[in-house]
Amino acid sequence: MNLRYIKIFLLSTILMAALATSGCLEDIDVETPEHTQPPAQHFADTFKPEDTWLVYWYICGSNLESEYGSASKDIQEMLQAELPANVKVLIQAGGSNEWKNAVIKSGATNLLLYSSDGLQELVTAEDSDMGEAETLATFLQFGKDNFQADHRVFVFWDHGGGSVFGLCHDERTDNLLTLNEVRDAFASVFDANEQNPPFEVVGFDTCLMATYEMANTLYGYSHYMVASEEVEPGNGWEYTSWLKSLGENPAMSGARLGQIICDSYYKGCEDSWTEDTVTLSVVDLSKLPNLRTAYENFGIEALRLSAQNPRQFFAQLGRNAKHSENYGGNTRENGYYDMVDIGDLAENSKDLLPQTSATLIRAIDEAVVHKVQGPYRTKGGGISGFYPYSGNDQIYTMYTHINTAPDSQKYLYHHLLRGSIPNDAKPILANTGLQELPQPLGGSLFNISALEDLKIKIDKQNNAFVQLTPEQLENISHINCNLAYIDAEEDIILYLGSDANVKIDWKKGTVTDNFDATWPMLDGHPVYIEVTAVQDDYNLYSIPIKLNGVRVNLEAAYQYSTNTYKILGVRGISSNGMADKNLIKLKEGDTITTLHYGMTVSGDDTDFTEVDVDTFTVSKNTNLADENIGTGEYLYCFEFVAPNNQSATSQFINFTVDENGGITTSEIE
């Protein structure tokens, strides 16, 4: 039996940090748990009804337009909003191989104006790269030079990839805008003004851009930022609703406009059945100085404690981060965007970081003046920040190049990933009383490899368990289990996936299996699963499938209160590092093929291969549920993951499931 090769595969897939994308789909199974939005604040009108508004709309069409016509649909939504003479929308469209409308031309930079006179073509210019700062700056300058306005709004439309990967992926050039480029473009046209910034609202109809680093980037250039922490579904913003509201009341404040954008977006998601994991928040950027101080101090306290006992500190911080809301998936199937809700991280770290957590939470609450959240995204405060879930040094290096990222966070994650605190951190640590930096340990902080092939024992209740020492626990941020099915007659080993369904006593160091001879089944067909989020009342999972022959990831939630799954959506897969907004809905008659990783029992295979297993047709009753896994032999091991995302797996244990669902646990000879 190729157990050595199974372990090689598990290690390689566990460590893999692929970049993938997203979307969302229609639920066809269990009802969503009850969830209501917090009471809306009342934002009084602050301007005059006759004030003029100019909305800049930067549409980087990308594959969202060429494949799905998503930008054309939103432009059509805009045309349903009747505008008065004092509200205009200036549009620049490009960045797509093909446009699904007769107005915007491919291979060109299109400038259009929508006003009370309808839609007008202003300029069809030479093609330009929508992922370049110069293109953005030119658009900003055109609007400034040609249109007088009392109030300005800017909306980015396209893919978004969080703080590290930026936004607006030009399909033709493969370029995108970094946060530094966004600020450089605004700074080249407008003077930053903290009291009276040139824009009332800067918004992102993109995924994953409600980040601290993005808010800090816009400080001095906008009163408010409107953006999503999580991946947006394909329906996106409701342009008819918020533009119509602005046209009916040009006296409204930027906060009120942001509120309307959020509320209409959530209503549109409800109408499209995509609200489960959505987020959208309005950030008052005038509150950034207090938030900046609080977030820097949070990082400084963490850095000081990490200097005193790095393994113990980072192990606990990693556990806190694992149980905090994080966005974009952060697994090998979904890709890593390395974004965590900083308020939820602070909430989970009150005991670990008692001096600064509460202050950071208050600063976030003051800055986020309105937000909407789906029922599986209720713990976030409205602003995310970088956390190196991937453990990828290249992604971390990209983060260090963001000018508006906090130095204390850069130093903290340098310590986590590279094993030392840089000399540049000396001044801020000296203010905490730490005069000398600890000597680097050399290499990784964590000795997770020492847990490789850790022996699993069997207790009197027939349970598989391992007993970890305090020193071993300091190397671990979370523990999963891995399961594989062996059929000697069919000469196949199928890897069924990774789950967090283990019993862990962090104080005693005992880890015990929770295997009950059931496994998630999609219409009765076992699926490969990967846990993407672990919360107190639910888990989120990613399941690779083929939908009508196209490989996608099916997303699902497991609700502890009902012991049921809910299908949340299907996320497409891309290689551009941007989260995909395209919405894919399951419908009756669709074909699903389950995917697993397989190898032969008898052969010389040295790696698993992705294989198609079961193909079936979607019905109106299609659902995901834990069902009896079936008789046979199963390999089970524990997966220990370090705070830097390095991992090790224990030895295998064998579970034999009989026809009555009984389980016999035995060691493998």
Side-chain angles (χ1 to χ4, degrees):
M1 192 179 299
N2 297 321
L3 296 186
R4 182 172 68 87
Y5 295 137
I6 296 175
K7 287 188 68 69
I8 290 173
F9 172 76
L10 292 181
L11 287 172
S12 65
T13 55
I14 289 163
L15 293 172
M16 185 166 54
L19 296 176
T21 56
S22 51
C24 276
L25 76 81
E26 174 183 16
D27 167 54
I28 54 175
D29 188 20
V30 183
E31 293 183 0
T32 301
E34 291 186 10
H35 171 61
T36 57
Q37 300 302 324
Q41 287 185 253
H42 175 70
F43 298 108
D45 292 346
T46 55
F47 304 125
K48 299 175 183 178
E50 62 271 19
D51 280 1
T52 56
W53 289 76
L54 180 66
V55 178
Y56 297 68
W57 194 6
Y58 193 77
I59 306 177
C60 182
S62 69
N63 69 310
L64 295 175
E65 175 61 21
S66 63
E67 295 182 25
Y68 314 112
S70 300
S72 292
K73 293 174 185 176
D74 282 348
I75 292 171
Q76 189 60 42
E77 282 184 10
M78 174 194 69
L79 296 177
Q80 305 306 308
E82 199 169 310
L83 298 181
N86 57 334
V87 178
K88 296 178 171 65
V89 181
L90 177 65
I91 302 166
Q92 177 162 313
S96 182
N97 287 333
E98 180 184 355
W99 290 84
K100 305 293 188 182
N101 63 69
V103 177
I104 299 174
K105 299 174 178 61
S106 302
T109 300
N110 300 264
L111 285 166
L112 306 97
L113 183 70
Y114 181 60
S115 67
S116 56
D117 296 323
L119 184 64
Q120 302 169 277
E121 295 181 55
L122 298 179
V123 178
T124 302
E126 183 179 344
D127 193 15
S128 54
D129 187 346
M130 297 287 282
E132 289 283 354
E134 183 179 354
T135 304
L136 174 58
T138 300
F139 179 50
L140 288 164
Q141 190 69 57
F142 183 88
K144 181 181 181 183
D145 292 344
N146 292 278
F147 298 93
Q148 294 296 319
D150 297 309
H151 315 292
R152 297 175 187 268
V153 175
F154 197 99
V155 178
F156 289 94
W157 189 102
D158 188 27
H159 292 295
S163 293
V164 170
F165 297 104
L167 68 158
C168 291
H169 175 258
D170 190 303
E171 184 179 32
R172 293 93 37 82
T173 67
D174 212 30
N175 287 331
L176 52 89
L177 292 168
T178 66
L179 272 61
N180 292 348
E181 288 176 321
V182 170
R183 186 165 182 90
D184 288 347
F186 275 82
S188 69
V189 179
F190 295 96
D191 293 328
N193 189 318
E194 298 173 9
Q195 282 71 43
N196 188 27
F199 285 83
E200 186 64 17
V201 173
V202 173
F204 299 85
D205 190 1
T206 70
C207 302
L208 301 165
M209 296 313 298
T211 77
Y212 167 84
E213 293 82 9
M214 189 76 253
N216 208 12
T217 294
L218 296 174
Y219 181 63
Y221 293 101
S222 184
H223 276 291
Y224 298 96
M225 179 180 82
V226 181
S228 171
E229 291 187 274
E230 184 56 284
V231 171
E232 284 193 355
N235 49 280
W237 289 14
E238 294 293 316
Y239 287 86
T240 303
S241 297
W242 69 266
L243 283 170
K244 182 174 182 290
S245 296
L246 179 60
E248 291 173 346
N249 181 23
M252 71 172 60
S253 65
R256 175 59 179 153
L257 178 60
Q259 183 183 48
I260 292 171
I261 292 171
C262 287
D263 293 349
S264 62
Y265 166 72
Y266 193 81
K267 176 62 165 59
C269 291
E270 287 183 315
D271 292 343
S272 301
W273 300 343
T274 61
E275 79 277 12
D276 291 299
T277 60
V278 299
T279 62
L280 203 64
S281 53
V282 183
V283 181
D284 182 350
L285 297 178
S286 71
K287 306 297 185 182
L288 253 292
N290 286 341
L291 177 57
R292 186 183 299 131
T293 300
Y295 195 33
E296 283 276 8
N297 288 340
F298 184 76
I300 291 169
E301 184 182 10
L303 189 62
R304 178 176 59 82
L305 292 175
S306 77
Q308 296 170 359
N309 193 332
R311 288 195 183 96
Q312 188 179 76
F313 173 80
F314 282 122
Q316 186 59 58
L317 183 67
R319 293 167 201 167
N320 295 345
K322 181 67 176 178
H323 286 84
S324 298
E325 265 194 16
N326 58 91
Y327 307 106
N330 292 314
T331 69
R332 61 184 178 269
E333 286 291 339
N334 292 72
Y336 287 94
Y337 295 99
D338 285 354
M339 302 305 303
V340 66
D341 184 90
I342 59 176
D344 199 23
L345 180 60
E347 180 67 35
N348 291 333
S349 300
K350 282 183 174 178
D351 291 338
L352 182 65
L353 299 167
Q355 296 179 7
T356 58
S357 292
T359 302
L360 176 56
I361 293 168
R362 284 196 301 270
I364 294 167
D365 289 343
E366 291 173 0
V368 178
V369 296
H370 187 71
K371 61 184 177 181
V372 292
Q373 300 168 303
Y376 294 104
R377 280 293 178 264
T378 60
K379 298 182 184 299
I383 300 175
S384 62
F386 179 79
Y387 185 87
Y389 289 101
S390 65
N392 187 301
D393 191 76
Q394 183 180 1
I395 295 177
Y396 165 71
T397 298
M398 293 168 67
Y399 175 70
T400 65
H401 292 158
I402 301 173
N403 294 334
T404 54
D407 286 340
S408 62
Q409 301 291 326
K410 294 178 182 179
Y411 302 150
L412 178 68
Y413 299 135
H414 188 286
H415 195 194
L416 169 60
L417 298 178
R418 297 179 180 175
S420 64
I421 299 175
N423 288 329
D424 290 345
K426 279 185 176 181
I428 63 173
L429 285 176
N431 292 332
T432 70
L434 187 67
Q435 300 301 321
E436 294 295 331
L437 298 181
Q439 291 297 312
L441 298 178
S444 174
L445 287 175
F446 310 101
N447 187 24
I448 198 71
S449 61
L451 293 172
E452 189 65 37
D453 288 328
L454 185 69
K455 184 177 177 59
I456 294 182
K457 301 177 182 179
I458 303 173
D459 65 19
K460 294 179 180 180
Q461 287 74 42
N462 202 36
N463 296 315
F465 77 98
V466 294
Q467 182 66 52
L468 300 172
T469 68
E471 292 75 17
Q472 289 171 327
L473 287 171
E474 288 183 356
N475 290 281
I476 300 170
S477 63
H478 61 279
I479 302 171
N480 292 331
C481 60
N482 290 279
L483 189 69
Y485 168 69
I486 301 178
D487 189 328
E489 290 186 5
E490 295 291 334
D491 196 29
I492 187 72
I493 303 173
L494 287 181
Y495 178 33
L496 295 176
S498 175
D499 197 358
N501 188 22
V502 295
K503 302 173 185 177
I504 307 173
D505 188 325
W506 290 106
K507 292 182 178 180
K508 295 181 179 179
T510 305
V511 185
T512 309
D513 85 83
N514 201 30
F515 183 69
D516 61 356
T518 66
W519 196 254
M521 306 274 186
L522 189 59
D523 279 0
H525 304 280
V527 293
Y528 173 92
I529 65 168
E530 193 173 77
V531 63
T532 63
V534 180
Q535 297 291 342
D536 293 337
D537 47 356
Y538 64 86
N539 285 357
L540 298 181
Y541 293 93
S542 178
I543 301 169
I545 62 170
K546 286 183 179 177
L547 179 64
N548 300 322
V550 179
R551 194 186 188 285
V552 294
N553 288 325
L554 185 147
E555 302 297 315
Y558 182 82
Q559 193 74 27
Y560 292 131
S561 60
T562 58
N563 293 322
T564 55
Y565 290 91
K566 178 179 180 181
I567 297 173
L568 302 181
V570 167
R571 298 184 174 183
I573 296 174
S574 174
S575 60
N576 60 27
M578 296 285 98
D580 187 356
K581 289 172 57 180
N582 179 47
L583 174 67
I584 304 169
K585 291 187 176 182
L586 287 180
K587 59 183 183 297
E588 288 186 63
D590 280 346
T591 299
I592 287 178
T593 300
T594 59
L595 298 175
H596 291 273
Y597 296 96
M599 67 188 304
T600 62
V601 177
S602 61
D604 296 326
D605 308 33
T606 59
D607 203 351
F608 277 74
T609 301
E610 187 175 87
V611 292
D612 297 358
V613 179
D614 297 322
T615 298
F616 55 96
T617 302
V618 174
S619 72
K620 64 179 180 180
N621 297 318
T622 289
N623 76 325
L624 183 70
D626 283 336
E627 299 179 19
N628 291 333
I629 199 168
T631 59
E633 304 291 320
Y634 296 87
L635 294 175
Y636 181 99
C637 70
F638 296 111
E639 171 195 341
F640 310 106
V641 185
N644 61 359
N645 207 34
Q646 295 178 354
S647 64
T649 52
S650 69
Q651 289 184 354
F652 286 102
I653 201 80
N654 183 269
F655 291 135
T656 302
V657 179
D658 62 31
E659 58 186 11
N660 297 317
I663 304 168
T664 301
T665 307
S666 60
E667 296 181 7
I668 297 175
E669 298 298 332

